[in-house]
Amino acid sequence: MGRVPDQPPSPEMHNNFNPMFHPQPGPEPPVYETEKRYINNGGIVNQPTGVPNMAGPAQPTYINTGGTVNQPTGVPNMGRPAQPTYINPGVMGNQPYGIQMTRPVIQPSNWTSGLFDCMNDGENAIITCFFPFVTFGQIAEVTDEGATSCGTGGILYGLICCLFGIPCVYSCTFRAKIRSKFGLPDAPAPDWITHCFCEYCALCQEYRELKNRGLDPAIGWSGNVQRQRMGQQQEMMTPPMGQRMMG
């Protein structure tokens, strides 16, 4: 048999690389870029000085001309107009001068009769002496302008008098209302003292006061309202002075 010619060695036979005996090189360490800091030129921080400012323009600050803040001086004021301040003539605040929305001021005055002038109205003095609840009911109806009827006020006065014996604790409140209504002084003593020691005299004085000021307690509140309406109608029908009605 002939000799087999020699064959060239296979490349795989020379590839004797074994990762166990030949360690691989480690990964390269990462390279970090050093952060560059620049001078703040009025725009974005950390921006080169020579680079144009790419940020939005800063908001200009203007002088406050009495309107909206940050508004140019030469631009007309487009803000909400300020609320005008008016002179306060003794009424509600922020109200135009000359317009009054409050009640008229009651001028102080004095009592038209004294506490012990009971005989100036003898009829009322006798009724009050024997039936004080009647006088009080009439006073209460006129003072409260019909809110408290004569019967209701009289019954309450009688019940307090019979059960507790001190009707002055209820009647003195209406004396205070009369004083507030006409601007009367707290005389000759505080209301509760006047009614506590001089109950009947105080009722007579309050009755006369209402009557002298055009409010007759004997006819009730409705009667006084009708009488005032009739008086106003008569004044409207009366011709002015110097003229006469043509027939």
Side-chain angles (χ1 to χ4, degrees), residues 98-130:
I99 301 177
Q100 298 190 5
M101 302 298 294
T102 58
R103 297 181 180 180
V105 179
I106 300 175
Q107 298 296 333
S109 59
N110 295 322
W111 294 86
T112 57
S113 61
L115 179 62
F116 302 107
D117 295 338
C118 298
M119 297 311 298
N120 290 352
D121 191 343
E123 180 181 357
N124 174 251
I126 295 175
I127 295 175
T128 305
C129 182
F130 293 99

Side-chain angles (χ1 to χ4, degrees), residues 69-118:
V69 183
N70 294 331
Q71 185 176 0
T73 307
V75 179
N77 186 3
M78 301 301 294
R80 184 178 180 181
Q83 185 177 6
T85 303
Y86 304 98
I87 300 175
N88 188 1
V91 294
M92 300 174 62
N94 292 330
Q95 185 177 356
Y97 183 80
I99 301 177
Q100 298 190 5
M101 302 298 294
T102 58
R103 297 181 180 180
V105 179
I106 300 175
Q107 298 296 333
S109 59
N110 295 322
W111 294 86
T112 57
S113 61
L115 179 62
F116 302 107
D117 295 338
C118 298

Side-chain angles (χ1 to χ4, degrees), residues 111-214:
W111 294 86
T112 57
S113 61
L115 179 62
F116 302 107
D117 295 338
C118 298
M119 297 311 298
N120 290 352
D121 191 343
E123 180 181 357
N124 174 251
I126 295 175
I127 295 175
T128 305
C129 182
F130 293 99
F131 309 102
F133 54 89
V134 175
T135 301
F136 175 79
Q138 294 173 346
I139 294 173
E141 180 177 353
V142 176
T143 303
D144 279 348
E145 299 180 355
T148 302
S149 64
C150 178
T152 302
I155 292 174
L156 290 176
Y157 184 91
L159 288 176
I160 295 174
C161 183
C162 295
L163 296 177
F164 305 101
I166 46 174
C168 59
V169 298
Y170 182 52
S171 59
C172 68
T173 59
F174 285 86
R175 184 179 181 88
K177 293 180 181 180
I178 294 174
R179 291 195 306 100
S180 177
K181 193 179 187 69
F182 300 111
L184 302 175
D186 192 5
D191 300 332
W192 67 274
I193 294 179
T194 303
H195 273 264
C196 182
F197 294 97
C198 304
E199 174 69 12
Y200 293 171
C201 293
L203 292 177
C204 291
Q205 184 188 24
E206 294 158 11
Y207 184 95
R208 294 192 306 271
E209 190 68 28
L210 293 174
K211 189 174 182 179
N212 294 338
R213 293 183 180 274

